[in-house]
Each structure stands twice: as structure tokens, then as C-alpha cells.
Amino acid sequence: MRAIKSECCAENARNAARDHFGTLRAIKSVRCAPSSRNPQSGRKIIKGLEQAVAHARGENTQARERTIHIEDSVDVRNIRKKLSLTQQEFSLQFGFSLAAVRHWEQGSRIPEMSARVLLTLIDKDPGYVRRALGMMDEDEQKVACG
């Protein structure tokens, strides 16, 4: 592997990396004029690109990986009914569109991954989600109302 000039401009590094798996070859050829702004940024970008390529090849890069398991299907109607909410109340409380909730419950659409994550959290601990969104739990509302 040829040495990479230590100071590179970020734009040329990004352009060179666009080749996907040809990235390593492209990284080797990146050469830029020294930057007076932050000479470390180019080195960090190149190092990150090299690590990404090594990781993609299956080499040990000490990269942190986290795998989460989210079900492919979520029973939105069951989650909503456990909370004794109408479709409109459920959509308003948790930031979903009413149309999306209806489509999910009818089975004509499947929630995207991010929505499934939120729906899973709502199912497991609705109080936590409400607090995270700045809402009070039903129990807290009863206490506040006296």
C-alpha cells in the first residue's frame, strides 16, 4: 500500500470513496494540497475510510457493532387496545398519522423500521415513551388532578 499524504481535503476524500468497494484503491490515490484549516481532519477521514473497507472485508477492525432484533410485523391494533386508546388518540399521543395507524391495523401497509422500533417501545413500556415525549402517564394525571 502506498503512503497517503497526511493532509487531505475532505471533499476529495469523499469523492474518492464513492467507488464503494473500489474505495481502497481510491483512497490510495487521494492527494491534496495541505489545508491550513484543520490538517487532522483529512487524516481522520482517510483512516475512517480504510477502517470501513477493512470491516467490509471481514477483517478485525475493533469496530463497535450492535445488533438489535425488531420483529418484521407489529400488532398495532393490539398495542393500541392495551392502552384503551382510539386510533385518533393513539396517533396524536405517539406522533403517527391517523392514516398510517389505520393502514397498519388493516394490514394494507407495514410500519417502517423506525416506526416498528417506536411501536415495540410503546408495547413494552408506554409510560417510558410518554415521559420521553414529555407527556404524563395516566397515573401521574390522576395524581395531578387530585
Side-chain angles (χ1 to χ4, degrees):
M1 182 172 167
R2 292 187 312 207
I4 299 170
K5 193 168 185 175
S6 63
E7 296 172 344
C8 289
C9 57
E11 177 136 358
N12 284 347
R14 277 194 304 272
N15 290 336
R18 287 194 178 126
D19 295 344
H20 195 54
F21 279 102
T23 303
L24 188 58
R25 197 171 311 114
I27 291 172
K28 290 178 186 177
S29 65
V30 174
R31 303 250 186 254
C32 303
S35 171
S36 60
R37 285 187 279 171
N38 188 355
Q40 293 292 325
S41 63
R43 284 188 218 125
K44 289 179 182 177
I45 291 170
I46 298 299
K47 183 178 179 184
L49 291 170
E50 289 173 334
Q51 288 174 343
V53 170
H55 181 73
R57 288 184 174 157
E59 298 171 15
N60 183 9
T61 60
Q62 298 177 346
R64 285 185 272 168
E65 283 186 40
R66 179 167 292 153
T67 304
I68 60 169
H69 177 72
I70 300 297
E71 296 293 328
D72 290 335
S73 64
V74 179
D75 189 349
V76 179
R77 178 176 285 128
N78 185 43
I79 295 169
R80 177 180 61 79
K81 287 193 173 199
K82 280 190 341 188
L83 298 172
S84 302
L85 297 173
T86 65
Q87 288 179 335
Q88 186 170 8
E89 292 168 336
F90 185 79
S91 63
L92 287 171
Q93 276 193 26
F94 297 109
F96 302 117
S97 74
L98 179 57
V101 172
R102 286 183 178 153
H103 286 292
W104 296 337
E105 289 189 8
Q106 292 169 1
S108 59
R109 291 192 188 150
I110 298 171
E112 302 249 346
M113 175 64 83
S114 56
R116 289 195 316 262
V117 169
L118 180 55
L119 288 164
T120 301
L121 289 171
I122 293 167
D123 188 30
K124 301 246 188 257
D125 192 350
Y128 172 80
V129 176
R130 286 181 174 127
R131 287 188 304 277
L133 295 174
M135 296 182 283
M136 288 191 283
D137 282 338
E138 290 176 18
D139 294 338
E140 292 173 337
Q141 286 178 346
K142 288 176 186 173
V143 171
C145 293

